[in-house]
Amino acid sequence: MEQPFGVLAELTYACPLHCGYCSNPVEMERYRNELTTEEWQRVFAEAADLGVLQLHLSGGEPMLRKDITELVGTAHDLGMYTNLITSGLGFNRRRAEALREAGLDHVQLSIQADEQTLSDKIAGTTSFERKQEVAELVQELDWPMTLNVVLHRQNIDRIGGILEMAHRMGADRVELANTQYYGWAGLNRSQLMPTREQLAEAETVVREAKERLGTSMEIIYVIPDYYSSYPKPCMDGWARRQFTIIPTGEALPCPTAHEVIRGHGLDPVTVREHSLQWIWESSPVFNLFRGTDWMPEPCSSCPRKEIDFGGCRCQAFALTGDAARTDPVCHLSPDHELVTGAVEAANDPTRPQPGELIPRPNPGRRS
């Protein structure tokens, strides 16, 4: 068993944005009883003892935690590389300077589009101009900056403008990630899935931008699972290299495994009841799909089984109701028609233009 190198700490599911592509769980009221400052600090110390080197602070919106600077300082003192994943709202000069002093290493800023009307519509709130200001502040304070763009049917045609804007904003790295259909994105899949034509054009634009910009800005482009022949190695394999702690202290092998665990009749494992070492090494949840022994055919005899690890367990569960089945994205899966059917629907020339997305609500906080 390898030791984990990264932890995603989802500090809160509260968020000022209402993005319809959000992967946070739909039943958000269940996750309001957040870990305290002291509980998170203990978790960080246990993570460092496990060998974790990278700590990603996310949500929701982590800047809604009043103790964010204190938490960053704790992680910094433990020797972990800290990355703040933020919408930019709540990231003012005073708090930014405090985070810099506390030792924050990196800022990852989400953007929705390259023009205000569309960006604010997707975000569900006025935020476009604020993101520009935050990017300038990040540059001024000399942080490395990644811009994260979730691509979907409603913004993928703007990808050229998004990349130009990212370059003007001084981004070191841009992650162009096509939507994963979990949580709120799963509810909005029919409104979010792009067409083949959109993807082909987007890939051309990205390729040309990489050639034009060279090494001045790293561009990561991830095609959507539904258009792939093989699934991606989700999280480098279940509980293999990294894991997630959600606001209530539940430990997950990946950020969207909530329903998989309950669907398999397992009790959640929380840091309020168990040490991280026990959770990582011995918990039934983390050992459920670890390795390859659990795999059915065609995965168990496939030469790719230690490349993609059977694909995404959350996707298999969402589409088939059984997380132990081969990810239906794989063209060898007996359930592949579930994916091809969705793709055909997305490319139906008679389908209506995209309508309104179901907005992600803000559940508030209770700690």
Side-chain angles (χ1 to χ4, degrees):
M1 183 188 303
E2 297 182 60
Q3 295 299 98
F5 73 83
V7 169
L8 174 65
E10 295 187 324
L11 302 179
T12 179
Y13 282 151
C15 183
L17 304 189
H18 302 276
C19 305
Y21 58 75
C22 183
S23 62
N24 283 169
V26 173
E27 296 180 1
M28 299 178 75
E29 289 296 321
R30 182 183 292 174
Y31 304 101
R32 291 176 62 196
N33 187 20
E34 298 174 5
L35 295 180
T36 65
T37 305
E38 293 74 20
E39 286 174 320
W40 275 117
Q41 289 173 322
R42 174 178 57 80
V43 169
F44 293 172
E46 291 183 14
D49 288 342
L50 268 180
V52 169
L53 300 175
Q54 297 178 2
L55 179 65
H56 305 277
L57 302 164
S58 181
E61 174 49 64
M63 294 299 292
L64 290 178
R65 293 277 307 211
K66 294 180 180 179
D67 57 359
I68 183 65
T69 300
E70 190 174 351
L71 294 178
V72 167
T74 296
H76 175 76
D77 291 344
L78 289 166
M80 289 190 283
Y81 184 91
T82 51
N83 173 36
L84 180 71
I85 304 171
T86 179
S87 68
L89 277 68
F91 195 89
N92 56 39
R93 176 174 293 278
R94 177 183 60 82
R95 300 189 79 194
E97 290 176 347
L99 286 168
R100 197 74 175 101
E101 181 66 23
L104 181 68
D105 294 297
H106 185 275
V107 175
Q108 184 170 326
L109 177 65
S110 70
I111 57 176
Q112 283 70 41
D114 63 320
E115 70 83 26
Q116 184 168 3
T117 301
L118 179 59
S119 177
D120 291 347
K121 177 184 177 182
I122 293 170
T125 191
T126 302
S127 57
F128 179 80
E129 291 184 352
R130 181 63 191 141
K131 291 174 184 289
Q132 311 297 313
E133 295 168 0
V134 169
E136 291 178 6
L137 183 55
V138 170
Q139 291 293 299
E140 181 183 334
L141 295 177
D142 199 29
W143 269 304
M145 181 173 68
T146 294
L147 295 184
N148 181 63
V149 188
V150 178
L151 296 174
H152 46 81
R153 190 182 187 93
Q154 300 192 15
N155 70 353
I156 194 168
D157 296 331
R158 306 290 308 179
I159 197 168
I162 289 171
L163 286 170
E164 288 298 325
M165 183 182 72
H167 192 244
R168 290 196 306 271
M169 292 167 74
D172 299 284
R173 188 169 185 262
V174 179
E175 294 182 359
L176 303 168
N178 276 277
T179 304
Q180 303 287 307
Y181 301 111
Y182 312 120
W184 295 93
L187 295 181
N188 286 309
R189 187 183 72 176
S190 64
Q191 302 296 332
L192 293 170
M193 189 177 296
T195 65
R196 291 189 183 91
E197 183 179 357
Q198 285 181 304
L199 288 171
E201 176 62 24
E203 289 175 11
T204 298
V205 172
V206 170
R207 183 172 59 252
E208 292 174 350
K210 286 183 176 181
E211 294 173 355
R212 183 174 67 258
L213 298 175
T215 60
S216 64
M217 183 176 74
E218 182 182 9
I219 301 173
I220 307 297
Y221 178 72
V222 183
I223 67 171
D225 286 355
Y226 280 46
Y227 285 89
S228 300
S229 296
Y230 296 102
K232 293 189 284 290
C234 187
M235 302 297 292
D236 291 322
W238 181 276
R240 183 168 173 261
R241 303 295 303 280
Q242 49 196 317
F243 61 95
T244 297
I245 307 293
I246 68 172
T248 54
E250 187 176 338
L252 303 174
C254 79
T256 58
H258 318 73
E259 299 306 319
V260 170
I261 292 166
R262 292 182 176 85
H264 276 258
L266 295 176
D267 293 327
V269 290
T270 78
V271 299
R272 284 174 164 149
E273 299 173 349
H274 303 283
S275 70
L276 274 189
Q277 182 172 352
W278 181 86
I279 290 171
W280 178 258
E281 295 177 355
S282 304
S283 69
V285 166
F286 275 55
N287 283 295
L288 184 59
F289 298 114
R290 182 174 259 152
T292 59
D293 290 345
W294 62 271
M295 290 182 175
E297 288 291 351
C299 295
S300 60
S301 60
C302 180
R304 292 179 56 88
K305 70 179 181 180
E306 295 195 28
I307 297 174
D308 57 35
F309 303 100
C312 178
R313 299 302 87 222
C314 300
Q315 192 154 254
F317 182 79
L319 291 173
T320 73
D322 182 0
R325 292 184 71 80
T326 301
D327 186 340
V329 160
C330 182
H331 73 285
L332 300 174
S333 166
D335 304 303
H336 187 56
E337 72 276 0
L338 296 172
V339 169
T340 57
V343 169
E344 288 173 4
N347 288 275
D348 182 352
T350 66
R351 66 171 287 177
Q353 290 298 311
E356 295 296 319
L357 300 175
I358 301 171
R360 172 207 186 276
N362 185 347
R365 296 183 54 225
R366 183 173 70 248
S367 58

